[in-house]
Amino acid sequence: MRPDSKPEGIRQSMSWLHTWTGIVPGWLLYAVFFTGTLSYFLDEVNLWMKPELHASVPAADAARIAAVALAGMGKLAPDANSWTLELPNERQTTVSATWRDRNAPAGRAGTKRAELDAATGEKIDTRETRGGSFLYRFHFELHAMDRTTGRWIVGIATMFMFVAIISGVITHKKIFAEFFTFRPKKGQRSWLDAHNATAVLALPFHIMITFSGLLLLMATLMPWGADAAYDGNAQAYNMERRGMAPGGQGQGQGQGEQRNAGGREGREGGREGRGGRSRDGGGEAVDLAAAIGPMLAQARTEWKNGGSNHEVGRITVNRPNKPGATVELRAHGSDSLTTRGASARLVFDAATGKIKERPPLPTPSAASAFGNVFASAHMGRFAGPTVRWLLFLSGVVGTAMVATGLVLWVVKRAPERRKLGRTPFGHRLVEVTNTGVITGLALATGAYFWLNRLLPVELAERAAWEINGFFLAWLAALVHAALRPARAAWLEQCIAVAVMFVLLPVLNPLTGGHGLDRSIALGQAGIVGFDFAMLAIAALFGWIARHLIRKDRPLAKAAPGAAPAELTEVTP
Amino acid sequence: MSKKTSLPAAYRWLVASRSVAAIFGGYLLAAAWAACMSLWLQKTGMARVDAVTTATMSSFVVHLCAAIWVFAAGTTQRAWIGIVLPAALLAAGTWLAGAGAGGAA
């Protein structure tokens, strides 16, 4: 796209396209990447933000945990129609219980939840917080707006990103050679190298995460295929599709065209009906706490023989304390990405302890398997700790790629500024927004974590105030960036971020959580993981700050009292 | 990309035209692809739900290619033709398949 309309090569036009599809949604993409990357540790963030849960230390013996939890449920919700217990794992210290009371309204509203102490089965009361779910939701539907609007905005930005990535690849024909070229301390050249290196280093990840992001939003963004094939009833398509994705809710094999209800809602409605009918039936209640141990042992043997080696992750009791009760055990984790995290299940008769059903794992069609692989990879679903950390680090690299791209836009225009002898308003606007978003969002996230521990537990609308604090801190960072010279703004905010995050593992034990010494000693990997992720972020921003300070010294010597609008301004 | 700060108005219009072609034209093309392929893949014997999933997933790649085409094309005219022509063909294909399926349904 040359202004003089002269013909140009494909690489020039792609370079133009890359710049503008990257810069226009750039800040939003940075926010999406940043909060999305943190969401790889969603469970860990949730756990950290409810320090009351740190005190729950599960025993090594799953049977004992299950027995205690089931006894606890007997006291907590004796008349429920169903209980579901998520057993503790490497990311979770407690037993997460959900249950549905008789006559509970359909859907999510009818589901009650509680966290149980893994050692005692007692309910743990936690502070009111949205936890990591706020950051997770923000990364694909933003905040304080209609859910569909938020998804459209993020979806459009993602489509821009998709174009930016592919046009970027076309632009840099020597992309892999350039990956090994880093020329530090060369101003613009170094920024370009850094941008290229972060882009190429994780290129498969960038393409996967962007394309799968579009796929995850496709019901909102691209309903026209379903609309055409289902005569305007796109809902029917979504249900049929979910019915085939057994991660949804189990029935798996229902590949028939006429499956009426999607997943959970339909099934639990049915459960409720049955529970209601037999309420008055006689018979003896089963001592589940005693019966669960042998069932767990059976499941373990069965799954080991099946070639996989999974522990039980979830226990669902249907019609507890009533005749005809069943216990469903579900393996923790899945062997396959193509099934969207479906895992092996066994259904027991609670009274006899015998296996009643071995629901087979569904086999998805090629099309849904393809989509499921992308969805599972995007969400790190059932990824082990190593894969999770790799995804997190790829996310960090992706965030850095967006950030270096944004900075590069400003750095590239430095010569133009010098020639003009002033900073055009547009340049300054981008420069200020860059700081206010790149370091400002990190500051806001830090403030969110700090407020989680500093706001009084009994504060009204507590969860909302944590989120308000997030946005107020972000706004403050933007204002600060606008008031200070660019380089000073970068440096001050980087130092603030580094200090905020490096102190989080210290704040944790002072405000009710388990510090690193205890969480390591007790093997609470979730808490340890959060602390290390925070230290990693602190180190990254500290490194940038150190870089900025070092670069300052020779420049200050060389040009004392240099005009603040010089090149030094724009190269952080 | 230019050393001057102000660009000629004609150039701005050209960029605007291609942006509209890439963003809105590209989306319409992708939507037409999703609708058309959803119907035609069924006719090849693919299950309805899979036909829709395949067509919808690939439609994002169609939008991507459309955007790249628009900015790679030599002239703005060619850029637009490359969007409108296939979109019209796909729309016609959707109509044809829809008319057939409508009769059956």
Side-chain angles (χ1 to χ4, degrees):
Chain A
M1 296 303 297
R2 289 167 56 110
D4 52 14
S5 330
K6 286 213 180 94
E8 59 181 354
I10 177 94
R11 295 216 294 122
Q12 281 79 33
S13 60
M14 287 302 110
S15 166
W16 185 94
L17 183 60
H18 176 74
T19 304
W20 292 102
T21 47
I23 194 86
V24 171
W27 299 305
L28 178 59
L29 286 173
Y30 176 84
V32 169
F33 258 84
F34 188 95
T35 50
T37 299
L38 280 173
S39 298
Y40 281 123
F41 289 117
L42 178 60
D43 289 357
E44 287 78 0
V45 175
N46 282 334
L47 174 58
W48 192 88
M49 292 181 80
K50 291 176 179 173
E52 297 84 2
L53 304 181
H54 295 192
S56 167
V57 181
D61 180 13
R64 202 187 128 60
I65 298 172
V68 167
L70 285 168
M73 287 309 287
K75 276 184 269 170
L76 197 60
D79 295 322
N81 278 323
S82 67
W83 300 335
T84 302
L85 301 175
E86 296 287 345
L87 295 181
N89 55 52
E90 69 278 358
R91 308 184 64 194
Q92 181 183 325
T93 59
T94 54
V95 178
S96 293
T98 53
W99 67 94
R100 295 182 63 84
D101 283 332
R102 204 174 289 139
N103 309 324
R108 210 186 267 178
T111 305
K112 295 191 174 175
R113 38 186 86 246
E115 300 293 337
L116 308 182
D117 189 308
T120 64
E122 299 288 327
K123 181 174 184 263
I124 305 178
D125 288 316
T126 57
R127 62 193 56 205
E128 193 206 326
T129 178
R130 287 276 310 280
S133 307
F134 161 67
L135 299 169
Y136 168 66
R137 290 265 153 202
F138 182 87
H139 114 268
F140 66 96
E141 54 193 30
L142 307 178
H143 189 70
M145 68 180 76
D146 175 60
R147 182 171 282 197
T148 312
T149 314
R151 289 180 180 202
W152 263 106
I153 295 173
V154 173
I156 292 167
T158 312
M159 192 64 222
F160 269 79
M161 174 94 188
F162 199 27
V163 175
I165 288 177
I166 303 302
S167 55
V169 171
I170 302 174
T171 305
H172 298 283
K173 65 169 177 199
K174 291 185 292 181
I175 191 159
F176 291 97
E178 283 181 2
F179 173 54
F180 296 101
T181 333
F182 184 67
R183 287 148 285 191
K185 301 191 178 112
K186 291 254 164 52
Q188 181 187 329
R189 194 63 236 180
S190 310
W191 281 101
L192 183 61
D193 289 345
H195 184 61
N196 289 345
T198 47
V200 177
L201 179 64
L203 189 61
F205 172 82
H206 300 319
I207 293 173
M208 177 281 284
I209 208 75
T210 311
F211 184 57
S212 55
L214 289 167
L215 297 190
L216 289 166
L217 294 173
M218 77 186 192
T220 307
L221 300 176
M222 195 59 76
W224 310 113
D227 193 65
Y230 286 75
D231 280 330
N233 187 4
Q235 193 104 32
Y237 161 69
N238 289 330
M239 286 191 169
E240 211 171 289
R241 203 167 136 252
R242 225 173 295 151
M244 296 178 73
Q249 210 47 217
Q251 297 186 337
Q253 309 76 338
Q255 312 229 347
E257 295 265 310
Q258 296 302 322
R259 280 179 30 77
N260 50 349
R264 190 186 288 261
E265 259 63 292
R267 218 158 64 112
E268 291 194 321
R271 213 182 263 163
E272 225 166 293
R274 267 172 297 166
R277 261 200 304 285
S278 56
R279 186 185 342 168
D280 304 314
E284 278 185 29
V286 185
D287 183 5
L288 284 170
I292 194 73
M295 291 183 199
L296 291 174
Q298 273 188 71
R300 202 171 292 139
T301 344
E302 183 119 339
W303 289 332
K304 236 173 217 161
N305 294 342
S308 49
N309 189 8
H310 290 307
E311 293 296 312
V312 174
R314 184 198 288 174
I315 304 172
T316 305
V317 184
N318 282 319
R319 302 164 23 83
N321 296 330
K322 295 190 194 71
T326 58
V327 177
E328 181 189 303
L329 301 185
R330 191 186 274 264
H332 174 59
S334 160
D335 286 330
S336 156
L337 288 175
T338 61
T339 54
R340 213 168 177 164
S343 35
R345 291 185 296 148
L346 284 174
V347 181
F348 292 83
D349 184 317
T352 62
K354 294 251 159 60
I355 295 177
K356 235 176 122 179
E357 262 183 84
R358 289 182 178 79
L361 277 175
T363 35
S365 64
S368 59
F370 181 84
N372 289 344
V373 167
F374 274 96
S376 308
H378 187 108
M379 296 188 275
R381 203 173 253 187
F382 299 105
T386 317
V387 174
R388 188 166 297 282
W389 270 96
L390 277 175
L391 286 169
F392 174 79
L393 292 177
S394 302
V396 170
V397 171
T399 314
M401 173 187 71
V402 178
T404 48
L406 287 166
V407 172
L408 186 60
W409 192 92
V410 176
V411 174
K412 231 178 175 170
R413 279 151 188 79
E416 191 181 330
R417 273 191 195 192
R418 252 176 320 196
K419 231 168 96 187
L420 282 169
R422 64 184 174 86
T423 306
F425 175 75
H427 293 187
R428 176 67 184 152
L429 187 72
V430 175
E431 183 176 83
V432 166
T433 318
N434 273 353
T435 319
V437 172
I438 294 171
T439 43
L441 183 62
L443 266 173
T445 307
Y448 183 63
F449 292 149
W450 275 82
L451 285 173
N452 170 259
R453 295 307 182 80
L454 297 185
L455 289 177
V457 173
E458 62 284 352
L459 180 73
E461 307 268 331
R462 193 178 182 288
W465 274 110
E466 287 180 3
I467 295 172
N468 293 344
F470 173 89
F471 286 108
L472 286 173
W474 198 352
L475 185 67
L478 270 166
V479 172
H480 172 259
L483 294 178
R484 300 283 290 153
R487 170 176 284 269
W490 278 111
L491 179 61
E492 287 156 12
Q493 293 201 14
C494 279
I495 292 175
V497 171
V499 170
M500 250 181 174
F501 279 82
V502 83
L503 288 179
L504 280 171
V506 180
L507 175 73
N508 183 16
L510 295 178
T511 49
H514 279 184
L516 264 177
D517 51 337
R518 279 181 83 188
S519 53
I520 290 176
L522 293 168
Q524 293 176 307
I527 308 170
V528 177
F530 179 94
D531 279 349
F532 273 111
M534 296 306 110
L535 291 176
I537 294 173
L540 180 63
F541 281 87
W543 178 75
I544 300 172
R546 186 167 150 265
H547 191 72
L548 285 169
I549 294 170
R550 277 183 145 189
K551 236 180 146 185
D552 253 347
R553 262 186 253 127
L555 280 168
K557 231 183 263 170
E566 279 288 1
L567 175 64
T568 53
E569 275 294 288
V570 284
T571 48
Chain B
M1 14 142 282
S2 160
K3 282 182 197 96
K4 280 178 236 140
T5 38
S6 65
L7 299 164
Y11 172 73
R12 286 174 190 267
W13 279 112
L14 228 71
V15 171
S17 169
R18 290 209 198 201
S19 302
V20 168
I23 295 167
F24 298 102
Y27 181 77
L28 282 178
L29 177 61
W33 167 275
C36 185
M37 285 300 140
S38 289
L39 297 176
W40 281 99
L41 284 176
Q42 271 186 81
K43 293 195 188 282
T44 68
M46 197 183 267
R48 181 163 68 159
V49 64
D50 291 334
V52 173
T53 305
T54 309
T56 310
M57 289 194 301
S58 55
S59 71
F60 295 110
V61 179
V62 170
H63 195 170
L64 166 76
C65 295
I68 287 180
W69 160 257
V70 163
F71 286 95
T75 67
T76 310
Q77 212 170 357
R78 271 171 57 101
W80 271 103
I81 292 171
I83 296 295
V84 172
L85 199 66
L89 286 175
L90 287 167
T94 311
W95 183 78
L96 274 177

